[in-house]
Amino acid sequence: DIVMIQSPDSLAVSLGERATINCESSQSVLYSSNNKNHLAWYQQKPGQPPKLLISWASTRESGVPDRFSGSGSGTDFTLTISSLQAEDVALYYCQQYFVSPGTFGQGTKVEIK
Amino acid sequence: EVQLVQSGPEVKKPGESLKITCKTSGYSFTSYWIGWVRQMPGKGPEWMGIIYPRDSETRYSPSFEGHVTISADKSTNTAYLHWSSLEASDTAVYYCGKVYGGTYYLFDFWGQGTLVTVSS
């Protein structure tokens, strides 16, 4: 299985400041045939299912605020929240969907400082 | 609007069988894979497996194959996750998810989750 490691495990950021979460995969998730990275980011709030924020490493899903952005390629990826809002307090997971099984990171908890 | 509505919480004893359900609406059920994800307490999600309702082709994670069965009913647009013999380690929240078109392992819409508690 591809192992996904997120860092940090948790971070506290002031309202309006930038939050950055990293995700590293144990092997590349870049599909050479279409030059797309099979990497997604989810947000999960307590008692709710994960919500897909970003697919293909950098494509925001419909309705996701533009303060959320994804970047990276190959094995190293980043989720950035450019200006943290109170409603962004949640757990964030990366997931590779390149090969079976689609493995997730361990999660990063984002809180308000 | 795409909706996936799961059955309610379950409390079972080890060795018992269980089938939980995921009723879908708002999209063409037979045109997309649908699958299941396990989330154990305090842990990240784990991809379990998927089914293509049009022909019932299934794909399982090696970690779950042989322990659960995924099925689907085209007439009711419903997917199922079945255990024939539960273990205490099956205690978790289980989510169904519609698979993102063109992929196998990415879910774009999720059910609300079903808490399964297995305890003697």
Side-chain angles (χ1 to χ4, degrees):
Chain A
D1 296 2
I2 294 179
V3 178
M4 309 298 290
I5 302 293
Q6 292 180 227
S7 60
D9 289 334
S10 65
L11 74 161
V13 175
S14 300
L15 287 171
E17 296 300 305
R18 180 185 301 259
T20 301
I21 301 168
N22 300 302
C23 175
E24 181 178 354
S25 57
S26 60
Q27 65 186 73
S28 176
V29 298
L30 174 63
Y31 188 37
S32 56
S33 296
N34 60 12
N35 201 37
K36 285 189 169 186
N37 288 283
H38 292 224
L39 189 285
W41 289 97
Y42 293 92
Q43 175 192 67
Q44 187 175 31
K45 296 181 179 180
Q48 296 184 19
K51 174 187 174 184
L52 181 61
L53 295 177
I54 288 172
S55 58
W56 310 113
S58 60
T59 302
R60 264 190 313 274
E61 295 300 301
S62 175
V64 174
D66 61 7
R67 62 180 180 273
F68 291 92
S69 63
S71 63
S73 185
T75 61
D76 293 286
F77 301 91
T78 300
L79 174 70
T80 301
I81 309 172
S82 61
S83 175
L84 191 74
Q85 304 300 303
E87 61 265 32
D88 300 334
V89 169
L91 271 164
Y92 292 84
Y93 294 98
C94 61
Q95 183 211 2
Q96 66 79 18
Y97 51 99
F98 186 54
V99 295
S100 178
T103 43
F104 291 79
Q106 82 279 12
T108 296
K109 187 175 185 179
V110 174
E111 300 173 304
I112 304 294
K113 185 188 290 184
Chain B
E1 178 192 7
V2 175
Q3 287 194 316
L4 292 81
V5 179
Q6 298 183 225
S7 48
E10 302 275 0
V11 179
K12 292 289 190 179
K13 290 181 166 48
E16 292 186 330
S17 64
L18 175 64
K19 180 180 278 189
I20 62 175
T21 69
C22 173
K23 182 159 178 60
T24 73
S25 61
Y27 74 99
S28 174
F29 184 65
T30 55
S31 298
Y32 295 91
W33 293 78
I34 185 167
W36 293 90
V37 169
R38 181 176 79 176
Q39 190 165 32
M40 301 179 80
K43 301 295 186 183
E46 299 170 90
W47 188 94
M48 299 176 69
I50 54 174
I51 186 166
Y52 192 57
R54 182 168 297 178
D55 59 11
S56 294
E57 180 183 351
T58 53
R59 300 186 179 202
Y60 291 93
S61 164
S63 298
F64 294 93
E65 188 155 26
H67 186 55
V68 297
T69 302
I70 296 172
S71 59
D73 182 345
K74 292 184 289 189
S75 68
T76 59
N77 294 344
T78 301
Y80 303 93
L81 181 64
H82 175 251
W83 294 261
S84 58
S85 181
L86 285 160
E87 302 170 2
S89 58
D90 293 319
T91 295
V93 175
Y94 293 86
Y95 295 101
C96 62
K98 171 188 165 292
V99 174
Y100 193 111
T103 74
Y104 293 115
Y105 317 116
L106 177 63
F107 296 108
D108 54 359
F109 291 92
W110 295 59
Q112 83 276 19
T114 296
L115 174 62
V116 174
T117 304
V118 184
S119 174
S120 54

